[in-house]
Amino acid sequence: MTNDLMKEIIRVAVEAGERIMKIYEGDIRIEHKEDSSPLTEADRRSHEHIVSELKKITPEIPVLSEESADISWQKRKSWGKYWLVDPLDGTKEFIKKNGEFTVNIALIKENALAAGVVVIPAQKLIYRADINNGAFRRNYDGAETKLTADNNLNTDNLKIVGSRSHQSELMQTFVSNFENYEIVAAGSSLKFCLLAEGKADVYPRFGPTSEWDTAAGQCVLECAGGVVLDNAGNKLQYNTKDSVLNPYFIGMREYNEAVLSWFKALN
């Protein structure tokens, strides 16, 4: 991705975040989708802004967003390149007003990640990554820091990131493999970013996610030197099937065979 295009994508994500914050600071009206997951006006406004702007910036590239996910597989499977968007990841965290929600925009090329932007509006933080230049973090008005996540992963004192909104028996079984560990609670794609910064070590996900939930964060982590692997030990790929649901996966700031084997044993 060119520097100019990356700047534009960051601008769009930040502007979407500003629209979200206007609603966040007031009374939040909640609706529910057919699957009972929550939906707010902030989701809609962010979606509308991002899709409108992406169509202006790159009219030749199709967009798949969580809030416009009814595009058929027959149409999607012909896409060699597309934008994958979660306009408000962590709606439950948004409703709880704990600040741990994100705006996610990823560029997918030939079923693989090419670039990603994660914005945390409540914290005014931007994470950007592309496969040619690496991963970076900055405040809205600050200098960038390059992220390198591949320090030695110490399984004797593991920081395991988990969701504030999703816990499971599988997660409890997984952590029982470690004598000393710390649970680092976080919501949304922020979990990937914590690994990319070295603030956590492992993110095992045993609950349901969709491709737009993971793409931008996965790109940040992988471009910082980490890995995101599915329950067969393969890198998560995109737009390879009718369903947009991901398999269970594990993110690690550094590949570790033992940690992966304990994860795979639960799948």
Side-chain angles (χ1 to χ4, degrees):
M1 182 183 288
T2 66
N3 288 335
D4 287 344
L5 181 54
M6 177 60 79
K7 288 178 181 177
E8 282 289 272
I9 301 311
I10 291 172
R11 172 187 66 80
V12 172
V14 169
E15 289 173 353
E18 290 169 348
R19 284 160 172 76
I20 290 170
M21 290 305 295
K22 288 180 180 178
I23 297 171
Y24 181 73
E25 292 162 357
D27 294 328
I28 300 173
R29 190 176 71 252
I30 305 166
E31 300 175 17
H32 288 87
K33 304 177 188 179
E34 291 182 4
D35 63 359
S36 298
S37 59
L39 177 69
T40 71
E41 182 64 21
D43 295 83
R44 292 195 190 92
R45 290 189 188 180
S46 178
H47 162 78
E48 290 169 359
H49 179 72
I50 292 170
V51 172
S52 173
E53 289 298 303
L54 289 178
K55 287 182 177 178
K56 293 175 187 175
I57 297 165
T58 54
E60 74 283 5
I61 302 178
V63 180
L64 178 64
S65 168
E66 179 178 11
E67 306 311 329
S68 61
D70 56 351
I71 300 171
S72 72
W73 168 239
Q74 291 301 314
K75 185 173 184 178
R76 283 192 292 113
K77 68 181 181 180
S78 66
W79 292 352
K81 180 194 300 185
Y82 70 103
W83 296 110
L84 183 56
V85 175
D86 192 340
L88 176 49
D89 183 27
T91 301
K92 292 180 181 178
E93 316 309 327
F94 173 81
I95 293 167
K96 293 175 185 176
K97 294 199 171 185
N98 66 19
E100 295 181 353
F101 51 88
T102 59
V103 177
N104 301 321
I105 303 176
L107 181 63
I108 311 297
K109 291 183 179 180
E110 303 300 335
N111 310 117
L113 296 161
V117 170
V118 176
V119 167
I120 309 175
Q123 300 178 33
K124 295 187 176 181
L125 283 176
I126 300 165
Y127 296 84
R128 71 171 178 91
D130 73 74
I131 58 173
N132 295 317
N133 297 307
F136 300 82
R137 172 196 185 273
R138 70 174 170 89
N139 297 321
Y140 279 11
D141 56 357
E144 282 193 328
T145 300
K146 188 164 187 176
L147 300 176
T148 303
D150 57 351
N151 298 317
N152 291 332
L153 194 153
N154 182 6
T155 57
D156 292 330
N157 187 23
L158 209 63
K159 292 183 178 179
I160 303 172
V161 67
S163 172
R164 294 191 187 279
S165 302
H166 307 279
Q167 292 294 337
S168 69
E169 291 183 10
L170 288 174
M171 180 65 158
Q172 295 302 315
T173 303
F174 176 78
V175 301
S176 70
N177 290 289
F178 308 99
E179 185 174 347
N180 296 305
Y181 66 88
E182 175 187 347
I183 296 294
V184 180
S188 71
S189 60
L190 174 59
K191 295 187 279 290
F192 292 104
C193 299
L194 291 177
L195 268 64
E197 289 193 81
K199 293 180 178 179
D201 302 311
V202 176
Y203 168 30
R205 184 58 187 241
F206 298 105
T209 59
S210 296
E211 293 182 359
W212 46 73
D213 294 314
T214 57
Q218 178 184 348
C219 190
V220 170
L221 177 55
E222 291 183 345
C223 289
V227 296
V228 181
L229 304 173
D230 65 19
N231 47 13
N234 300 315
K235 183 184 292 190
L236 281 188
Q237 287 193 304
Y238 292 85
N239 203 37
T240 61
K241 59 189 187 307
D242 187 358
S243 172
V244 294
L245 292 176
N246 290 317
Y248 292 167
F249 65 83
I250 187 166
M252 296 181 282
R253 65 176 177 84
E254 181 185 40
Y255 178 81
N256 184 284
E257 183 66 38
V259 173
L260 178 61
S261 66
W262 287 321
F263 171 77
K264 291 168 68 174
L266 296 173
N267 291 271

